[in-house]
């Protein structure tokens, strides 16, 4: 059994400018490892959306990526406010982002639906006042 | 269409990525909403935008785009330019408005040779 490749990142919630750095790093590494472009694109877009969400809504968190034999697993965990109504949050266009975030080009209510679209499996584990953990899988 | 041709059509100033001016692109999109770029862009290689922050560059990078045109003569931050350089993207700024810039590229045939939905 070969050891799975793992990446761990702390996502800084204070700094919108640096948001996305973890996704860029993962994209670069997957490229170096020679994974197919469509897989890399799915992983990096889903992770980037999640990273932006953590910075906008949850004051940062952690991102873990594990490359297994048959899938890539991305786990994004935060101690933010949690998502009160996941069904509503999954609707395209629904957003609780404030105007200052929209002015930065985000908060169109496409983040979570887009993460689901680009991954083969997505599970949201959230509790109001405790935090949110999103686990996404992309098949290889 | 070659990226160099885009620069010429838009009267744009090149900020980085000179080595990619001979690269071919086949379609473009216009948006100031990076959320929408992430949700709707498929294979458009060029992003026209008036938004100025580092996430413009990261979004284009994630979507495998190759060229960003800042419209309305806005001046991108130094950080944007260095991020674009690091990402191997072409970054340019044009005095045209987004509508005019998109129109000029469309009239010249960009995005019309492939069936985009």
């Amino acid at each position: 059994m070969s050891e799975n490749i793992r990446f761990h990142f702390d996502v800084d919630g204070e700094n919108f400018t640096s948001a996305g750095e973890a996704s860029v790093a993962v994209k670069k590494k997957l490229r170096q490892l020679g994974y197919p472009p469509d897989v890399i694109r799915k992983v990096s877009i889903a992770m980037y959306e999640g990273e932006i969400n953590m910075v906008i809504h949850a004051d940062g968190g952690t991102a873990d990526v594990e490359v297994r034999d048959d899938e890539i697993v991305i786990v994004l965990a935060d101690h933010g406010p949690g998502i009160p109504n996941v069904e509503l949050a999954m609707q395209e266009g629904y957003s609780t982002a404030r105007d200052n975030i929209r002015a930065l080009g985000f908060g169109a209510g496409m983040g979570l639906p887009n993460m689901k679209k680009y991954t083969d499996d997505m599970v949201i584990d959230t509790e109001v006042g405790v935090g949110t953990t999103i686990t996404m899988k992309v098949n290889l | 269409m070659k990226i160099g041709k885009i620069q010429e059509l838009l009267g744009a100033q090149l900020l980085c990525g000179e080595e990619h001016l001979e690269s071919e692109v086949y379609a473009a999109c216009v948006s100031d909403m990076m959320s929408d770029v992430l949700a709707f862009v498929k294979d458009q290689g060029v992003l026209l935008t008036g938004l100025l922050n580092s996430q413009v560059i990261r979004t284009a990078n994630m979507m495998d785009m190759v060229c960003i045109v800042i419209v309305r003569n806005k001046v991108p931050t130094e950080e944007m330019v260095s991020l674009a350089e690091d990402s191997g993207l072409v970054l340019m700024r044009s005095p045209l408005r987004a509508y005019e810039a998109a129109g000029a590229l469309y009239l010249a045939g960009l995005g019309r040779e492939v069936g985009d939905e």
Side-chain angles (χ1 to χ4, degrees), chain A residues 63-79:
Chain A
D64 286 278
V65 179
E66 184 181 349
V67 184
R68 298 178 180 165
D69 289 342
D70 55 347
E71 61 189 8
I72 296 177
V73 184
I74 309 149
V75 181
L76 305 169
D78 69 59
H79 297 291

Side-chain angles (χ1 to χ4, degrees), chain B residues 3 14 16-18 20-21 66-69 84 88-92:
Chain B
I3 293 177
L14 188 70
C16 73
E18 193 176 359
H20 303 298
L21 287 181
V66 290
C67 174
I68 301 169
V69 182
L89 292 166
V90 178
L91 184 65
M92 54 178 93

Side-chain angles (χ1 to χ4, degrees), chain A residues 16-21 23-24 27 31 37 41 44-45 48-49 52 102-110 114 117-118, chain B residues 32-44 51 53-56 58-64 79 83 86-87:
Chain A
F16 179 79
T17 303
S18 66
E21 278 178 356
S23 309
V24 170
K27 181 169 189 171
R31 240 187 217 161
R41 190 167 174 175
S44 49
I45 294 171
Y48 179 59
E49 289 273 21
I52 294 283
R102 288 174 213 262
L104 294 166
F106 291 91
M110 297 303 293
N114 217 21
K117 183 177 117 188
Y118 280 107
Chain B
D32 286 351
M33 199 66 178
M34 295 306 111
S35 290
D36 283 347
V37 173
L38 288 164
F40 298 113
V41 163
K42 282 201 286 187
D43 295 312
Q44 292 91 329
L51 185 69
N53 65 52
S54 53
Q55 301 309 339
V56 172
R58 290 214 181 88
T59 299
N61 187 358
M62 290 302 149
M63 302 310 290
D64 297 321
E79 191 179 17
L83 257 181
D86 291 348
S87 311

